[in-house]
Amino acid sequence: MRKKLSVLLVVLFVLLSVGVVSAAEYTIKVGNTQPMGHIYNQGLLRFKELVEDRSNGEIEVQIFPSSQLGDERDLVEGLQLGTVQMALSSTGPLGGFVTEIMVLDLPYLFKNRAHAYSVLDGEIGQELSKGFVDAGIRNLGYWENGWRNITNSVRPIYEPEDLNGIKIRVMESKLMLASLEAMGASPLPMAFSEVYTALEQGTIDAQENPLAVIYSNNFAEVQEYLSMTQHFYNPALLLISESFYSSLPEDYKEIVRKSASEAKEYERYLSILADERLLGKLQEEGMEVNSVDKDAFVEATKSVYDENAKMIGEGDKEAGLELMNKIQ
Ligand code: EAX
């Protein structure tokens, strides 16, 4: 009898230590598409630390990087089904769930980071977040993916004309697709986990992403030119499944919200650092970096605003235009 008991205890100990069963009362699986070294996961590690500390281990946070739980669209569907508790996703695929959020995918929408933060952390950001609850999701805050720049393996891009004939992967966002089309490129929507291979095999010539993504996914191995278009400021939303969130007691909800907000500040700081430090690193890795004629890109993509106002206003073009104006 004693022997059986000790065997059971050993088995339980092993299961606990490999995380098959958890001592915690609540387990949060949080997924994203980026590798562990990327700013998303550095920010999520801070979130994990804060939540586990403040809940005395009663809430456990498990981080799943590199699309291990699926790409962003799969993750958001997982939140709705309740199979995934949290996800960090850029706005790209979110317009498929909440139409209005697509307004954040407009090219050259924000003047600078301070402008973006004041809109996202203010009234407009809150209004946009409300739309998610009906979709079974809650937005815990706007983290940062960053300013997106074009890389390709054909030629340096100085002005929109240089994009003619270039096959570029875009996120699954109607507005992003329309924007790259307006620039003169041939855009192709694709999930993130397929991008490296598609570049390597030459199915596509180009992709666009912030420096932190380009660097931590080793895109310099398969891309020669980096052109600093900064055409989208791309926020990332820290999302939680609404059914999971509402199952938490009030004090745990508060811990999750507060920790998310503090980790956001840290992640944004890491994103600023990344932009400062990674350009040189990417050059060291052999990328040829160039600046672009930004005015020409702004001009080329102006039509995207008017053409998509009706969609963003959910059938009401004036409402769509008003929202765009308010942000700008
Ligand atoms: O949210 O798919 C992308 O290009 C994104 O930048 C990435 O998934 C980060």
Side-chain angles (χ1 to χ4, degrees):
M1 189 63 200
R2 287 261 305 268
K3 204 169 162 202
K4 261 193 187 161
L5 189 66
S6 50
V7 168
L8 267 177
L9 282 174
V10 167
V11 168
L12 183 65
F13 177 76
V14 169
L15 289 178
L16 276 170
S17 52
V18 299
V20 173
V21 291
S22 169
E25 205 176 333
Y26 295 94
T27 302
I28 295 178
K29 286 192 219 143
V30 52
N32 68 90
T33 58
Q34 295 304 304
M36 213 51 217
H38 181 263
I39 54 171
Y40 276 10
N41 290 305
Q42 298 308 304
L44 287 173
L45 278 172
R46 173 66 59 91
F47 172 73
K48 171 183 167 73
E49 215 175 87
L50 291 171
V51 167
E52 292 182 349
D53 237 44
R54 288 169 177 166
S55 69
N56 296 316
E58 290 303 338
I59 310 175
E60 187 193 355
V61 178
Q62 298 175 352
I63 301 169
F64 292 85
S66 304
S67 307
Q68 282 173 13
L69 297 181
D71 271 296
E72 290 180 338
R73 196 150 47 86
D74 311 314
L75 287 170
V76 179
E77 282 165 6
L79 296 175
Q80 293 182 312
L81 295 168
T83 51
V84 179
Q85 288 71 45
M86 288 180 68
L88 185 55
S89 169
S90 89
T91 50
L94 298 180
F97 300 88
V98 177
T99 311
E100 256 198 334
I101 197 78
M102 260 189 282
V103 74
L104 300 178
D105 295 343
L106 281 167
Y108 299 105
L109 180 69
F110 295 111
K111 285 193 293 284
N112 49 40
R113 280 193 164 97
H115 179 204
Y117 297 162
S118 82
V119 169
L120 298 171
D121 298 342
E123 221 175 279
I124 298 177
Q126 255 174 32
E127 259 327 293
L128 291 172
S129 291
K130 277 188 195 156
F132 283 87
V133 179
D134 288 336
I137 315 161
R138 177 176 293 256
N139 179 18
L140 293 174
Y142 297 90
W143 291 31
E144 180 162 289
N145 192 17
W147 299 99
R148 300 180 77 93
N149 300 296
I150 296 177
T151 70
N152 83 98
S153 56
V154 181
R155 55 178 166 259
I157 308 300
Y158 297 104
E159 46 185 20
E161 285 69 41
D162 297 325
L163 282 167
N164 281 339
I166 292 202
K167 278 183 279 176
I168 184 166
R169 174 266 177 174
V170 289
M171 287 200 279
E172 293 159 282
S173 154
K174 282 183 193 164
L175 275 203
M176 291 184 167
L177 186 91
S179 302
L180 270 298
E181 232 160 36
M183 289 179 201
S186 306
L188 195 82
M190 191 185 285
F192 185 80
S193 63
E194 293 165 34
V195 177
Y196 185 96
T197 311
L199 291 170
E200 192 177 31
Q201 296 181 341
T203 331
I204 46 172
D205 311 304
Q207 66 88 42
E208 43 84 52
N209 251 305
L211 299 187
V213 172
I214 297 169
Y215 182 75
S216 50
N217 290 279
N218 305 318
F219 285 168
E221 293 170 359
V222 286
Q223 295 280 268
E224 206 173 324
Y225 304 102
L226 166 58
S227 305
M228 300 300 287
T229 44
Q230 300 193 309
H231 51 282
F232 301 126
Y233 170 82
N234 194 204
L237 278 62
L238 184 64
L239 302 168
I240 188 164
S241 161
E242 182 62 21
S243 61
F244 173 76
Y245 180 78
S246 51
S247 77
L248 292 174
E250 285 309 315
D251 51 337
Y252 284 5
K253 282 182 184 156
E254 170 66 19
I255 287 173
V256 167
R257 282 201 310 266
K258 193 165 171 240
S259 305
S261 160
E262 288 174 25
K264 171 192 78 180
E265 297 301 335
Y266 177 62
E267 193 266 353
R268 281 181 178 175
Y269 161 74
L270 292 178
S271 179
I272 293 168
L273 278 189
D275 271 350
E276 282 168 9
R277 291 181 181 166
L278 294 182
L279 204 55
K281 295 230 181 214
L282 289 167
Q283 276 169 318
E284 275 168 33
E285 290 185 350
M287 291 197 101
E288 199 182 305
V289 179
N290 70 274
S291 51
V292 305
D293 178 356
K294 235 185 220 170
D295 291 342
F297 279 92
V298 172
E299 195 53 39
T301 53
K302 257 194 180 141
S303 57
V304 177
Y305 283 63
D306 196 69
E307 281 163 18
N308 291 283
K310 192 170 172 188
M311 181 172 71
I312 287 169
E314 288 176 316
D316 182 347
K317 184 169 178 177
E318 284 312 309
L321 286 172
E322 203 185 301
L323 177 60
M324 293 172 185
N325 278 332
K326 233 164 93 186
I327 292 176
Q328 287 193 304

